[in-house]
Amino acid sequence: MRAALEEATVFVEKWSANVGLPVGNCPVRGVLDKISDKWSMLLVMTLASGPKRFNQLRREIPDISQKMLTQTLRDLQRDGMVSRQVFDTKPPSVEYRLTALGESVIVPFGYLIRWADENFADIDRSRAEFDQAA
Amino acid sequence: MRAALEEATVFVEKWSANVGLPVGNCPVRGVLDKISDKWSMLLVMTLASGPKRFNQLRREIPDISQKMLTQTLRDLQRDGMVSRQVFDTKPPSVEYRLTALGESVIVPFGYLIRWADENFADIDRSRAEFDQAA
DNA sequence: GGACAACGTCACCTCAAGGTAACCACCATG
DNA sequence: CATGGTGGTTACCTTGAGGTGACGTTGTCC
């Protein structure tokens, strides 16, 4: 799903312009990348309430696999959204926290979540209607 | 920005109540899942500038396959984001336009796009650093 | 000694999203 | 006649995101 957005530059210009944004490069590509994977947004929003350790995150998001937790955290770290700090305690503990960049994305995510929260009922209804018509 | 953050955190709290739940039980996650496919957002933003016909959309988004255009439009229609109107002209033409629901999602998308535009440079830099360190 | 909790890595497999290309009907134009 | 533009459908295939489960290392506790 990631690589294919790479070529959408042309229209991104178009609709970026519509939203009143400078054209240049395609910023949306990266964002859609993040949005469209299954766990990044969930992880960011979970870390929004404060730094957490690895198994603490596992407990708070029971349906994420260990592999995907590791992998998504690495990706977020790579993107500068999350910082990883290892404490040299007896069993070494690792703390993940949002960076300033990571915190800044909470705002647009928040809008999206609010939108979803306000409209999922309408969407469900629309789906039901549509499916019944078919 | 300050107000926006606080506003966002309200919904983050709501959200966190649902985080532990499987996707099926979290309506927000369900909705966001739909939004996060490869073409939905692009299509919505393309239709943001006005109603368009099928092949008009194909031309504006050259790298979408016919199949995926049809499919994504159907999904959006099913979710009540897009309405489809067939005109009984000589070669019947079909017009797609955003519904009120579809238009309402432009706002949160817009915030996301703005965020991406403001921060993609930082992200790129962070990635480069991270990759070099490894 | 055995279990468990800390934080992972690795190999393997599945499943569906998405791409490709062929096909349909209809009509206009050259 | 043939090409091209309407708006699709269908069958087939590839890709990779994500899940599963085993293994590992260092310690502590019972």
Side-chain angles (χ1 to χ4, degrees):
Chain A
M1 181 169 285
R2 330 220 128 188
L5 282 165
E6 239 108 320
E7 297 112 9
T9 322
V10 177
F11 342 85
V12 163
E13 292 181 0
K14 252 188 174 303
W15 53 274
S16 284
N18 286 330
V19 190
L21 290 176
V23 181
N25 235 321
C26 172
V28 182
R29 191 170 59 207
V31 170
L32 276 187
D33 262 10
K34 283 298 135 194
I35 298 296
S36 59
D37 91 68
K38 191 172 174 181
W39 300 110
S40 292
M41 185 168 168
L42 192 55
L43 231 39
V44 167
M45 294 319 272
T46 302
L47 286 172
S49 57
K52 293 186 164 55
R53 293 170 50 186
F54 188 84
N55 282 311
Q56 201 172 354
L57 287 168
R58 285 193 71 186
R59 281 188 294 268
E60 293 195 23
I61 312 178
D63 59 340
I64 194 175
S65 67
Q66 198 165 8
K67 172 192 165 189
M68 288 315 296
L69 180 53
T70 303
Q71 187 175 306
T72 307
L73 283 170
R74 285 274 178 275
D75 287 348
L76 289 172
Q77 190 191 351
R78 177 170 181 264
D79 287 353
M81 313 264 291
V82 157
S83 70
R84 180 186 131 108
Q85 189 175 1
V86 182
F87 293 98
D88 203 14
T89 51
K90 330 291 205 117
S93 68
V94 183
E95 184 188 84
Y96 295 92
R97 71 168 65 216
L98 294 182
T99 61
L101 184 62
E103 291 197 354
S104 72
V105 83
I106 293 176
V107 178
F109 276 3
Y111 278 103
L112 210 52
I113 291 167
R114 180 176 63 163
W115 181 89
D117 185 57
E118 287 171 351
N119 294 289
F120 75 89
D122 282 347
I123 294 178
D124 280 349
R125 199 176 329 118
S126 177
R127 278 182 198 168
E129 269 177 41
F130 187 92
D131 292 344
Q132 196 164 19
Chain B
M1 187 64 163
R2 195 75 207 132
L5 181 56
E6 311 209 342
E7 199 178 352
T9 47
V10 172
F11 291 92
V12 170
E13 286 170 20
K14 264 194 136 170
W15 162 271
S16 25
N18 288 328
V19 160
L21 301 176
V23 193
N25 295 345
C26 176
V28 177
R29 280 175 76 177
V31 170
L32 264 30
D33 256 16
K34 286 285 176 182
I35 297 301
S36 70
D37 75 73
K38 188 174 177 182
W39 299 110
S40 293
M41 185 168 170
L42 196 54
L43 232 38
V44 167
M45 295 317 275
T46 302
L47 286 172
S49 57
K52 291 185 166 53
R53 293 171 50 188
F54 188 84
N55 282 312
Q56 200 172 355
L57 287 167
R58 284 192 72 186
R59 282 188 295 267
E60 293 195 23
I61 311 178
D63 59 340
I64 194 174
S65 67
Q66 199 165 8
K67 171 191 164 188
M68 286 316 294
L69 181 52
T70 302
Q71 186 175 307
T72 307
L73 283 170
R74 286 272 179 276
D75 287 348
L76 289 172
Q77 190 192 350
R78 177 171 182 262
D79 288 353
M81 312 264 292
V82 158
S83 72
R84 180 187 133 107
Q85 189 174 1
V86 182
F87 293 99
D88 203 14
T89 52
K90 333 284 205 109
S93 68
V94 183
E95 185 189 84
Y96 295 91
R97 71 168 65 219
L98 293 182
T99 61
L101 184 61
E103 293 198 351
S104 73
V105 83
I106 293 176
V107 178
F109 279 0
Y111 279 102
L112 215 48
I113 291 166
R114 184 192 320 250
W115 181 89
D117 181 61
E118 286 168 354
N119 298 100
F120 76 95
D122 283 347
I123 294 179
D124 281 349
R125 197 174 332 116
S126 178
R127 278 184 196 168
E129 269 179 39
F130 187 91
D131 292 344
Q132 196 165 19

